[in-house]
Amino acid sequence: MQSQPPTIAFDVLVILGLVLLVVTFLTAWLSPSVKRTPTWYSFIFAGILAAVSKTLLFGHQGGPAPNTSLCFVQAILVYPFTALNSLVGGALVLQVYLSTRLLRQSQSLSSYHLYLVCIPLLWFFGSQLRPDIVQMTAVPFLLSFIVFILAFVTAAKDPSQVSRDPSGLECHFVHPAL
């Protein structure tokens, strides 16, 4: 079955977004002169995860229903990655706000100021991370992991609730409990 123009546009935008996010992430990571906060890396990394999850149905967006396992995997990833993007976006805004506010007061961020922000990739940043940054960065990923567990349990309990949405662009729960 031939893809419809909205489906093609969606696929092109997802791939374009994924490529741009990966290039941005790698440029900042591999360049010694580019300094970014762990919160910023979390924000970009969350966007990459969401884009990758959207690519799972490429080639199965029209015609017969996709493979049940493929649809199951995408359906359980839609909800935690949506939550993750929201949480890391909020964390980035919070971190920028607090940094700006404290900069005006000639202070720096401490564990008292930052408890809620982004990414548990301690191995990725190595010694660049302070303990207060590690504390604040885990929350969005921890909460998203909880949503992932809930989505997995919900889908595993009743796999018939997982199906491709009417647009054909992604799989989701027919009657979401999340």
Side-chain angles (χ1 to χ4, degrees):
M1 180 174 182
Q2 189 175 9
S3 293
Q4 300 296 319
T7 302
I8 294 169
F10 176 82
D11 292 351
V12 167
L13 290 174
V14 167
I15 293 294
L16 180 63
L18 178 61
V19 168
L20 290 174
L21 285 168
V22 168
V23 167
T24 302
F25 188 89
L26 290 176
T27 300
W29 185 37
L30 297 174
S31 174
S33 63
V34 175
K35 302 295 183 213
R36 297 285 182 252
T37 64
T39 312
W40 183 87
Y41 282 103
S42 297
F43 184 71
I44 300 298
F45 184 69
I48 291 170
L49 290 176
V52 167
S53 74
K54 299 284 186 194
T55 65
L56 294 178
L57 274 193
F58 282 9
H60 304 284
Q61 295 165 320
N67 178 317
T68 306
S69 300
L70 180 67
C71 203
F72 179 89
V73 169
Q74 189 183 46
I76 64 172
L77 292 178
V78 166
Y79 299 97
F81 287 161
T82 300
L84 180 62
N85 277 290
S86 299
L87 291 167
V88 295
L92 182 61
V93 169
L94 176 64
Q95 187 260 325
V96 168
Y97 168 74
L98 291 174
S99 295
T100 305
R101 184 168 179 226
L102 293 172
L103 183 64
R104 291 182 64 201
Q105 299 171 359
S106 298
Q107 297 177 2
S108 63
L109 294 174
S110 68
S111 59
Y112 173 76
H113 297 107
L114 298 173
Y115 194 76
L116 299 173
V117 185
C118 268
I119 177 172
L121 294 176
L122 181 58
W123 62 269
F124 178 79
F125 294 104
S127 63
Q128 295 177 8
L129 279 183
R130 303 182 326 240
D132 56 316
I133 300 292
V134 173
Q135 287 176 348
M136 77 170 186
T137 58
V139 173
F141 284 86
L142 177 65
L143 293 175
S144 296
F145 182 72
I146 291 169
V147 173
F148 172 79
I149 297 298
L150 290 171
F152 181 82
V153 168
T154 301
K157 193 164 88 172
D158 187 7
S160 67
Q161 293 296 311
V162 176
S163 70
R164 188 172 54 189
D165 70 358
S167 71
L169 299 178
E170 64 184 13
C171 291
H172 65 109
F173 297 137
V174 176
H175 300 291
L178 299 175

